[in-house]
Coordinates of all heavy atoms in Angstrom, one line a residue:
A328 N 5.2 26.8 -1.6 CA 5.6 25.4 -1.7 C 6.5 25.0 -0.5 O 7.5 25.6 -0.2 CB 6.3 25.1 -3.0
I329 N 6.1 23.9 0.2 CA 6.9 23.5 1.4 C 7.2 22.0 1.1 O 6.3 21.2 0.9 CB 6.0 23.7 2.6 CG1 5.7 25.2 2.8 CG2 6.8 23.1 3.9 CD1 4.8 25.5 4.0
I330 N 8.5 21.7 1.2 CA 8.9 20.4 0.8 C 9.8 19.7 2.0 O 10.3 20.4 2.8 CB 9.8 20.4 -0.5 CG1 11.0 21.2 -0.4 CG2 8.9 20.8 -1.6 CD1 12.0 21.1 -1.5
P331 N 9.8 18.4 2.0 CA 10.6 17.7 3.0 C 12.0 17.4 2.5 O 12.4 17.9 1.4 CB 9.8 16.3 3.1 CG 9.3 16.1 1.7 CD 9.1 17.4 1.1
W332 N 12.8 16.7 3.2 CA 14.2 16.5 2.9 C 14.4 15.3 2.0 O 15.5 15.2 1.4 CB 15.0 16.2 4.2 CG 14.8 14.8 4.7 CD1 15.4 13.7 4.2 CD2 13.9 14.3 5.7 NE1 15.0 12.6 4.9 CE2 14.0 12.9 5.8 CE3 13.0 15.0 6.6 CZ2 13.3 12.2 6.7 CZ3 12.3 14.2 7.5 CH2 12.4 12.8 7.5
N333 N 13.4 14.4 1.8 CA 13.8 13.1 1.2 C 14.0 13.1 -0.3 O 14.5 12.2 -0.8 CB 12.8 12.1 1.6 CG 11.3 12.4 1.3 OD1 11.1 13.6 1.0 ND2 10.4 11.5 1.4
A334 N 13.6 14.2 -1.0 CA 13.8 14.3 -2.5 C 13.9 15.7 -2.9 O 13.0 16.2 -3.6 CB 12.8 13.5 -3.2
K356 N 9.9 26.8 0.4 CA 10.5 26.7 1.7 C 11.0 25.3 1.8 O 10.2 24.3 2.0 CB 9.5 27.0 2.8 CG 10.0 27.5 4.1 CD 10.9 26.6 4.8 CE 10.2 25.4 5.5 NZ 11.2 24.4 6.1
P357 N 12.3 25.1 1.6 CA 12.9 23.7 1.6 C 12.9 23.2 3.1 O 12.7 24.0 4.0 CB 14.3 23.9 1.1 CG 14.5 25.3 0.7 CD 13.3 26.1 1.3
S358 N 13.2 22.0 3.2 CA 13.3 21.4 4.6 C 14.6 21.9 5.2 O 15.6 22.1 4.6 CB 13.4 19.9 4.5 OG 13.8 19.4 5.7
E359 N 14.5 22.2 6.5 CA 15.7 22.7 7.2 C 16.8 21.6 7.2 O 17.9 21.8 7.5 CB 15.3 23.1 8.7 CG 14.7 22.0 9.5 CD 13.1 21.9 9.3 OE1 12.6 22.3 8.3 OE2 12.4 21.5 10.3
E360 N 16.4 20.3 6.9 CA 17.3 19.2 7.0 C 18.1 19.0 5.7 O 19.1 18.3 5.6 CB 16.5 17.9 7.2 CG 15.6 17.9 8.3 CD 16.1 17.3 9.6 OE1 17.4 17.3 9.8 OE2 15.3 16.9 10.5
G387 N 14.6 27.9 6.2 CA 14.2 28.1 7.6 C 13.5 26.9 8.1 O 13.2 26.0 7.4
Y388 N 13.1 27.1 9.4 CA 12.4 26.0 10.1 C 10.9 26.0 9.7 O 10.4 27.1 9.4 CB 12.6 26.1 11.6 CG 14.0 25.8 12.1 CD1 14.8 26.8 12.5 CD2 14.5 24.5 12.1 CE1 16.1 26.5 12.9 CE2 15.8 24.2 12.5 CZ 16.6 25.2 12.9 OH 17.9 24.9 13.3
G389 N 10.3 24.9 9.9 CA 8.9 24.8 9.7 C 8.1 25.7 10.6 O 7.1 26.3 10.1
S390 N 8.5 25.7 11.8 CA 7.7 26.4 12.8 C 7.8 27.9 12.6 O 6.9 28.7 13.1 CB 8.2 26.1 14.2 OG 9.6 26.3 14.3
S391 N 8.8 28.4 11.9 CA 8.9 29.9 11.7 C 8.6 30.2 10.2 O 7.5 30.6 9.8 CB 10.3 30.4 12.1 OG 11.3 29.5 11.7
A392 N 9.6 29.9 9.3 CA 9.4 30.2 7.9 C 8.2 29.5 7.3 O 7.4 30.0 6.6 CB 10.7 29.9 7.1
G393 N 8.1 28.2 7.6 CA 7.0 27.4 7.1 C 5.7 27.9 7.5 O 4.8 28.1 6.7
A394 N 5.5 28.1 8.8 CA 4.2 28.5 9.3 C 3.9 29.9 8.8 O 2.7 30.2 8.4 CB 4.3 28.5 10.8
A395 N 4.9 30.8 8.6 CA 4.6 32.1 8.1 C 4.1 32.0 6.6 O 3.2 32.8 6.2 CB 5.8 33.0 8.2
L396 N 4.7 31.2 5.9 CA 4.3 31.0 4.5 C 2.9 30.4 4.4 O 2.1 30.9 3.7 CB 5.3 30.1 3.8 CG 5.1 29.9 2.3 CD1 5.0 31.2 1.5 CD2 6.2 29.0 1.7
A397 N 2.7 29.4 5.2 CA 1.4 28.7 5.1 C 0.3 29.6 5.5 O -0.9 29.5 5.0 CB 1.4 27.5 6.0
G398 N 0.5 30.5 6.5 CA -0.5 31.4 7.0 C -0.6 32.8 6.3 O -1.4 33.6 6.7
F407 N 2.2 21.1 -0.5 CA 3.0 20.6 0.6 C 3.2 19.1 0.4 O 2.4 18.4 0.1 CB 2.2 20.8 1.9 CG 2.9 20.2 3.1 CD1 4.0 20.8 3.7 CD2 2.4 19.0 3.6 CE1 4.6 20.2 4.8 CE2 3.0 18.4 4.7 CZ 4.1 19.0 5.3
T408 N 4.5 18.7 0.7 CA 4.8 17.3 0.9 C 5.4 17.1 2.2 O 6.4 17.9 2.6 CB 5.7 16.8 -0.2 OG1 5.2 17.0 -1.5 CG2 6.0 15.3 -0.1
G409 N 5.0 16.2 3.0 CA 5.6 15.9 4.3 C 4.7 15.1 5.2 O 3.9 14.3 4.6
S410 N 4.8 15.2 6.5 CA 4.1 14.3 7.4 C 2.6 14.7 7.4 O 2.2 15.8 7.1 CB 4.6 14.4 8.8 OG 4.5 15.8 9.2
T411 N 1.8 13.7 7.7 CA 0.3 14.0 7.8 C 0.0 15.0 8.9 O -0.8 15.9 8.7 CB -0.4 12.7 8.1 OG1 -0.3 11.8 6.9 CG2 -1.9 12.9 8.3
Q412 N 0.8 14.9 10.0 CA 0.6 15.9 11.1 C 0.8 17.3 10.6 O 0.0 18.2 10.9 CB 1.5 15.5 12.2 CG 1.2 16.1 13.5 CD 2.3 15.9 14.6 OE1 3.3 15.2 14.3 NE2 2.1 16.5 15.7
T413 N 1.9 17.6 10.0 CA 2.2 18.9 9.5 C 1.2 19.3 8.4 O 0.7 20.4 8.3 CB 3.6 19.1 9.0 OG1 4.5 18.7 10.1 CG2 3.9 20.5 8.5
G414 N 0.7 18.3 7.6 CA -0.3 18.6 6.6 C -1.6 19.1 7.2 O -2.2 20.0 6.6
E416 N -1.7 20.9 9.9 CA -1.3 22.3 10.2 C -1.5 23.2 9.0 O -2.0 24.3 9.1 CB 0.1 22.4 10.7 CG 0.4 21.8 12.0 CD -0.2 22.5 13.2 OE1 -0.4 23.7 13.1 OE2 -0.6 21.8 14.1
I417 N -1.1 22.7 7.9 CA -1.2 23.4 6.6 C -2.6 23.7 6.3 O -3.0 24.8 5.9 CB -0.5 22.7 5.5 CG1 1.0 22.4 5.8 CG2 -0.7 23.3 4.1 CD1 1.9 23.6 5.6
A420 N -3.8 26.4 8.5 CA -3.2 27.7 8.1 C -3.9 28.2 6.8 O -4.0 29.5 6.6 CB -1.7 27.6 8.0
E431 N 0.6 16.1 -0.2 CA 1.1 14.8 -0.4 C 1.8 14.3 0.9 O 2.8 14.8 1.2 CB 2.1 14.8 -1.6 CG 2.3 13.5 -2.2 CD 3.6 12.9 -1.8 OE1 4.6 13.1 -2.4 OE2 3.6 12.1 -0.8
L432 N 1.1 13.5 1.6 CA 1.4 13.2 3.0 C 2.0 11.8 3.2 O 2.4 11.2 2.2 CB 0.2 13.4 3.9 CG -0.4 14.8 3.7 CD1 -1.7 15.0 4.5 CD2 0.6 15.9 4.0
G433 N 1.9 11.3 4.4 CA 2.5 10.0 4.7 C 1.8 8.8 4.1 O 0.8 8.9 3.4
G434 N 2.4 7.6 4.4 CA 1.8 6.4 3.9 C 2.2 5.2 4.7 O 3.1 5.3 5.6
G462 N 14.3 3.9 3.2 CA 13.0 3.9 3.7 C 12.3 5.2 3.8 O 11.1 5.3 4.2
Q463 N 13.1 6.3 3.5 CA 12.5 7.6 3.7 C 11.9 8.1 2.4 O 12.3 9.0 1.7 CB 13.6 8.6 4.1 CG 14.4 8.2 5.3 CD 15.7 8.9 5.4 OE1 15.9 9.7 6.3 NE2 16.6 8.7 4.5
I464 N 10.8 7.4 2.1 CA 10.1 7.6 0.8 C 8.6 7.4 1.1 O 8.2 6.5 1.8 CB 10.7 6.8 -0.3 CG1 10.0 7.0 -1.6 CG2 10.6 5.3 0.0 CD1 10.9 6.5 -2.8
C465 N 7.8 8.4 0.6 CA 6.4 8.4 1.0 C 5.7 7.2 0.6 O 4.8 6.7 1.3 CB 5.8 9.7 0.5 SG 6.1 9.9 -1.3
I466 N 6.1 6.6 -0.5 CA 5.4 5.4 -1.0 C 6.0 4.1 -0.6 O 5.7 3.0 -1.1 CB 5.2 5.4 -2.5 CG1 6.5 5.4 -3.3 CG2 4.3 6.5 -3.0 CD1 6.4 5.3 -4.8
A467 N 6.9 4.1 0.4 CA 7.6 2.9 0.9 C 6.5 1.8 1.1 O 5.5 2.0 1.8 CB 8.3 3.1 2.2
I508 N 18.4 10.7 7.5 CA 18.7 12.1 7.5 C 19.3 12.7 8.8 O 20.1 13.6 8.7 CB 17.4 12.9 7.1 CG1 17.7 14.4 6.8 CG2 16.3 12.8 8.2 CD1 18.4 14.6 5.6
R511 N 17.7 12.4 14.9 CA 16.3 12.4 15.4 C 15.6 11.2 14.6 O 14.8 10.5 15.2 CB 15.7 13.7 15.1 CG 14.3 13.9 15.7 CD 13.8 15.3 15.4 NE 13.6 15.5 13.9 CZ 12.4 15.8 13.4 NH1 11.3 15.9 14.1 NH2 12.4 16.0 12.1
Q512 N 15.8 11.2 13.3 CA 15.1 10.1 12.5 C 15.6 8.7 12.9 O 14.9 7.8 13.0 CB 15.4 10.4 11.0 CG 14.5 9.6 10.1 CD 13.0 9.9 10.2 OE1 12.6 11.0 10.7 NE2 12.2 9.0 9.9
K515 N 13.9 7.7 16.0 CA 12.5 7.4 15.7 C 12.5 5.9 15.2 O 11.7 5.1 15.6 CB 12.0 8.4 14.7 CG 10.5 8.2 14.4 CD 10.0 9.3 13.4 CE 8.7 8.8 12.8 NZ 8.3 9.6 11.7
I516 N 13.4 5.6 14.2 CA 13.4 4.3 13.6 C 13.7 3.3 14.7 O 13.1 2.2 14.8 CB 14.4 4.3 12.5 CG1 13.9 5.2 11.3 CG2 14.6 2.8 11.9 CD1 15.0 5.5 10.3
Y519 N 10.8 2.4 16.7 CA 9.9 1.4 16.0 C 10.5 0.0 16.0 O 9.7 -1.0 16.2 CB 9.7 1.9 14.6 CG 8.6 3.0 14.5 CD1 8.9 4.3 14.0 CD2 7.3 2.8 14.9 CE1 8.0 5.3 14.0 CE2 6.3 3.8 14.8 CZ 6.7 5.0 14.4 OH 5.7 6.0 14.3
E565 N 2.1 2.4 11.7 CA 2.6 3.7 11.6 C 3.7 3.8 10.6 O 4.5 2.9 10.3 CB 3.1 4.2 13.0 CG 2.0 4.3 14.0 CD 2.4 4.8 15.3 OE1 3.5 5.3 15.5 OE2 1.5 4.7 16.3
E566 N 3.8 5.0 10.0 CA 4.9 5.3 9.0 C 6.2 5.3 9.8 O 6.4 6.2 10.6 CB 4.7 6.6 8.3 CG 5.7 6.9 7.2 CD 5.4 8.2 6.4 OE1 5.1 9.2 7.0 OE2 5.4 8.1 5.2
I567 N 7.2 4.4 9.4 CA 8.4 4.3 10.1 C 9.5 5.3 9.5 O 10.3 5.9 10.1 CB 9.0 2.9 10.1 CG1 8.0 2.0 10.9 CG2 10.4 2.8 10.8 CD1 8.3 0.5 10.9
F568 N 9.4 5.4 8.2 CA 10.4 6.2 7.4 C 11.8 5.8 7.7 O 12.7 6.5 7.9 CB 10.2 7.7 7.7 CG 9.9 8.5 6.5 CD1 8.9 8.2 5.6 CD2 10.7 9.7 6.3 CE1 8.7 9.0 4.5 CE2 10.5 10.5 5.2 CZ 9.4 10.1 4.3
G569 N 12.0 4.4 7.6 CA 13.3 3.8 7.8 C 13.3 2.5 7.0 O 12.2 2.0 6.6
Y592 N -4.1 5.6 5.9 CA -3.3 6.1 4.7 C -3.9 5.5 3.4 O -4.6 4.5 3.4 CB -1.8 5.7 4.8 CG -1.1 6.5 6.0 CD1 -0.6 5.7 7.1 CD2 -1.0 7.8 6.0 CE1 0.0 6.4 8.1 CE2 -0.3 8.5 7.0 CZ 0.2 7.8 8.1 OH 0.8 8.4 9.1
L594 N -1.7 6.1 0.0 CA -0.8 6.7 -1.0 C -0.6 5.7 -2.2 O -0.7 6.1 -3.3 CB 0.5 7.2 -0.4 CG 1.3 8.2 -1.2 CD1 0.4 9.4 -1.6 CD2 2.5 8.6 -0.5
S638 N -3.5 10.3 3.3 CA -2.3 10.6 2.5 C -2.4 11.8 1.7 O -1.4 12.2 1.0 CB -2.0 9.4 1.6 OG -1.6 8.2 2.4
Ligands
NAI249 P1 7.5 17.6 8.4 O1 6.2 17.3 7.7 O2 7.4 18.3 9.8 O3 8.3 18.6 7.5 C1 8.1 18.7 6.1 C2 8.3 20.2 5.7 O4 7.3 21.0 6.4 C3 9.6 20.8 6.1 O5 10.0 21.8 5.2 C4 9.3 21.5 7.4 O6 10.1 22.6 7.7 C5 7.9 22.0 7.2 N1 7.0 22.3 8.3 C6 7.1 21.7 9.5 N2 6.1 22.2 10.3 C7 5.5 23.2 9.7 C8 4.4 24.1 9.9 N3 3.8 24.1 11.1 N4 4.0 24.9 9.0 C9 4.6 24.9 7.8 N5 5.6 24.1 7.4 C10 6.1 23.2 8.4 O7 8.3 16.3 8.5 P2 9.6 16.1 9.3 O8 9.6 16.7 10.7 O9 10.7 16.5 8.4 O10 9.6 14.5 9.4 C11 8.8 13.8 10.4 C12 8.2 12.6 9.9 O11 7.2 12.9 8.9 C13 9.1 11.6 9.2 O12 9.7 10.8 10.1 C14 8.2 10.9 8.3 O13 7.5 9.8 9.0 C15 7.2 11.9 7.9 N6 7.5 12.5 6.6 C16 6.8 11.9 5.5 C17 7.1 12.4 4.3 C18 6.5 11.8 3.1 O14 6.8 12.1 2.0 N7 5.5 10.9 3.3 C19 8.1 13.4 4.0 C20 8.7 13.9 5.2 C21 8.4 13.5 6.4

Side-chain angles (χ1 to χ4, degrees):
I329 300 175
I330 60 171
W332 77 79
N333 56 346
K356 208 297 283 173
S358 167
E359 58 274 27
E360 311 263 23
Y388 291 106
S390 54
S391 46
L396 181 58
F407 172 77
T408 302
S410 62
T411 294
Q412 198 188 353
T413 302
E416 293 291 330
I417 300 284
E431 201 256 274
L432 307 177
Q463 306 166 111
I464 181 161
C465 48
I466 59 173
I508 190 72
R511 186 178 66 120
Q512 193 63 24
K515 184 178 162 192
I516 296 165
Y519 279 117
E565 294 184 13
E566 181 174 53
I567 298 175
F568 236 52
Y592 293 114
L594 196 56
S638 294

